[in-house]
Amino acid sequence: GLPLCDASPATPLPPPVFKTHVVEGNGLNPVWDGQEAANFSCLNPDVGILLFAVYDHCNITKTDLFIGTSAMPVSCLREGYRCVSLFDSNNTRSGAMKYASLFIKVK
């Protein structure tokens, strides 16, 4: 896995970034079929944060439009299947974002 930081707080390493491929024609319920996984190590899980960010790729403009995001402490992750609630750009869960979430598997 990739370390999020080394032992010295004065020399942070850049955080690892994992980006999935675009799922075409599967807008309301995209499925990646378990083909992609983000593997990483965190040397200090008490301060590590895992950030999920979801974008909709537009083939016409070739841009990624923000859908939602969620952040959680690495120390709070538990093995198994989890539902990660997404928040809009105002950090709220209302309107179209009220039930938006990611279904993930933590190993």
Side-chain angles (χ1 to χ4, degrees), residues 33-41 50 52 74 77-82 104-107:
D33 295 329
Q35 300 300 317
E36 301 184 52
N39 296 309
F40 64 91
S41 297
L50 181 61
F52 294 95
V74 173
L77 293 175
R78 300 293 176 256
E79 275 193 42
Y81 290 99
R82 301 287 178 245
I104 65 169
K105 182 177 183 182
V106 179
K107 293 183 178 182

Side-chain angles (χ1 to χ4, degrees), residues 3 6 10 12 16 26 42 45 47-48 50 57 66 68-69 82 86 88 104:
D6 66 10
N26 198 4
C42 183
V47 296
L50 181 61
H57 181 74
F66 178 78
T69 189
R82 301 287 178 245
L86 295 176
D88 64 17
I104 65 169

Side-chain angles (χ1 to χ4, degrees), residues 67-85:
I67 293 178
T69 189
S70 186
M72 65 184 60
V74 173
S75 61
C76 291
L77 293 175
R78 300 293 176 256
E79 275 193 42
Y81 290 99
R82 301 287 178 245
C83 188
V84 178
S85 298

Side-chain angles (χ1 to χ4, degrees), residues 28 66-68 85-89 92-101:
L28 292 178
F66 178 78
I67 293 178
S85 298
L86 295 176
F87 296 84
D88 64 17
S89 58
T92 62
R93 289 187 44 81
S94 60
M97 294 299 295
K98 190 170 186 174
Y99 301 107
S101 62

